[in-house]
Amino acid sequence: MNFQYFVPNIEKMPRRKLEALQLKKLKIQIDRALRASFYKERLSKAGITSSNSIKSLDDLKKIPFTTKNDLRNGFPFGFLAVPKEKIVRLHASSGTTGIPTTIYFSREDIKQWAHYMARCIYGTGCTKSDVFQNMITYGLFTGGLGMHQGGEEVGMMVIPAGPGNTARQFKMMQDYKTTVLHATPSFLLHLEAKMKEAGIERESLSLKRAFAGAEPYSEDTRRRIEKLLKIDVFNSYGLSEMNGPGVAFECQCKDGLHIWEDGFIAEIVNPDTLEPVKDGEIGELILTILCREATPIFRYRTRDLTAFYTEPCKCGRTHRRLHRITGRSDDMLIINGVNVFPSQIEEVIMAMKEVGNNYLIVVEKDGALDKLIIKVEVGPDIFMDDSRPLNALKDKIKENLQVSISIRPHVELHENGSLPVTEGKAVRVKDNRPKDV
Ligand code: DLL
């Protein structure tokens, strides 16, 4: 196979040199972070008052982990390490408390992000001759703009399609002769089903590849999409706290995701003891970003479970590979690529006085897509035989939830006291999606 490299001298850098580069960049990040109020306090407490306190990569361990809660507590500007005038963009994701985790970018940060993203895209075999239909959400979510700017950096023609409306997506694929797609794996499967329904011949399209990420999926799902759509599918991993997509990506070998170690320091720890696991063992991924000046973050607890590969990759890249994410160490649900914490749903439902004390969150597959169903008990004063107030209540629950979690769920109302009550810890979530990861 003829492997493609965007920057071969970095992508194939000997490990010793790569680690020296990481140390150099880590020291720069420390000096930057000391300008942010959150880290000024956190680092000083850990005895780190300047980059001189960091002598080796091992010294990173002196810094405590950073959590999503820390980011919220630092909202809105506690993590900001540059003057506000240097910020050119922000991205944010919602969370358990309604306080968004917000990441700020300088002009240089956006350039860096586009660069890492371009490496990912080029490494799958794409070139400037490709036509890239970006079918993921734009806006505060990082998937749209993140991938978009990477595609432009490679020189591909980027179609900022956004998600949904499959008929329009097919039209664009035909009109512009799209060769590369980006979507969640569930949307790619949905697309295939719609293609059949619409009677579109696969041969009328020019598709070659797709990038699929933002939610967990199995090797079987990848194969299924590849077979049905007759394309190569590459796994793409990232999270908004670490820019978004562009953290780790599969190369042409499609065997594990290379994590760009000149841009990120990756550790994998046992989520209970927080001690490092051996290479090859599954644990929680911890990430430190080295390629962003405006919002430095050290040792972020991603909650994603994965393992390092022990063998080097056939492609010759020296940056280590991660196994496909196998799950999370917290209760976050990912529904059609959107992150949802059960506590967000609870907060909305329990704030409504017409609602009773019990509810159940059910997630199912509806074709290829995920379906969120909220079963809610009505309050004791509401009668189940009067449909008008019931319908109004259903709509109100849907609307309030849409505002909070960006998903309009299906809502089922149940008589007061009729939903099952478990002894001991309440079971509030039933995730009925097949566990094939
Ligand atoms: O999902 C960024 C992204 C956009 C990645 C487009 C890839 C493609 P968040 O909304 O902050 O950011 O969600 C991050 O999604 O911690 C994982 O739990 C999950 N996730 C992302 N990619 C994958 C993947 C974006 N390839 C959270 N496999 C992460 C499994 C993934 N889970």
Side-chain angles (χ1 to χ4, degrees), residues 62-108:
K62 290 185 190 163
I63 307 176
F65 297 105
T66 303
T67 63
K68 215 176 186 57
N69 246 345
D70 289 330
L71 290 177
R72 288 206 194 97
N73 291 337
F75 181 80
F77 297 121
F79 281 78
L80 190 62
V82 296
K84 281 194 197 144
E85 303 74 58
K86 269 195 105 170
I87 302 168
V88 298
R89 198 198 295 166
L90 67 77
H91 280 279
S93 71
S94 59
T96 45
T97 59
I99 300 178
T101 47
T102 308
I103 303 295
Y104 302 96
F105 296 82
S106 70
R107 196 174 298 282
E108 181 57 27

Side-chain angles (χ1 to χ4, degrees), residues 93 136 141-143 147 182 212-217 235-241 244-245 257 302 304 325 328 332 334 337 339:
S93 71
I136 221 154
F141 180 59
T142 54
M147 228 15 131
H182 175 216
E215 64 186 17
Y217 62 115
N235 195 352
S236 152
Y237 169 78
L239 58 158
S240 38
E241 294 82 356
L257 299 95
T302 66
D304 290 319
I325 306 294
R328 290 188 52 91
M332 188 176 90
I334 304 184
N339 304 345

Side-chain angles (χ1 to χ4, degrees), residues 261-298:
E261 291 185 89
D262 59 322
F264 302 89
I265 299 179
E267 305 167 66
I268 298 182
V269 302
N270 177 313
D272 298 321
T273 62
L274 299 177
E275 289 301 319
V277 299
K278 291 201 197 81
D279 279 3
E281 269 176 32
I282 290 187
E284 182 182 327
L285 180 66
I286 307 291
L287 290 173
T288 297
I289 190 161
L290 301 175
C291 56
R292 189 174 62 206
E293 61 175 346
T295 324
I297 296 181
F298 302 100

Side-chain angles (χ1 to χ4, degrees), residues 154-209:
V154 168
M156 306 197 285
M157 180 168 94
V158 185
I159 310 171
N165 198 338
T166 46
R168 206 171 131 252
Q169 302 281 5
F170 292 132
K171 179 91 174 52
M172 286 191 272
M173 285 178 209
Q174 287 172 326
D175 287 348
Y176 305 119
K177 305 213 175 329
T178 302
T179 57
V180 187
L181 301 174
H182 175 216
T184 57
S186 41
F187 190 71
L188 287 172
L189 281 172
H190 174 68
L191 198 71
E192 198 278 332
K194 289 284 170 191
M195 198 161 127
K196 266 203 198 114
E197 252 177 64
I200 290 177
E201 293 290 329
R202 168 62 180 90
E203 286 62 41
S204 70
L205 306 175
S206 316
L207 299 178
K208 286 192 280 193
R209 300 182 186 86

Side-chain angles (χ1 to χ4, degrees), residues 340-362 372-379 393-394 396-402 404-405 409-413 419 428-429:
V340 177
F341 286 93
S343 53
Q344 282 175 285
I345 297 178
E346 168 162 333
E347 200 178 328
V348 170
I349 296 175
M350 287 298 135
M352 296 173 68
K353 57 180 186 328
E354 307 91 318
V355 161
N357 291 336
N358 206 355
Y359 69 91
L360 186 65
I361 301 166
V362 182
L372 174 65
I373 305 159
I374 314 287
K375 301 185 179 203
V376 186
E377 277 184 11
V378 296
L393 176 58
K394 244 190 208 177
K396 191 169 160 192
I397 297 175
K398 284 185 194 174
E399 260 148 47
N400 291 356
L401 280 169
Q402 184 161 25
S404 164
I405 60 172
H410 296 259
V411 173
E412 280 177 19
L413 295 181
L419 283 178
R428 297 287 192 202
V429 180

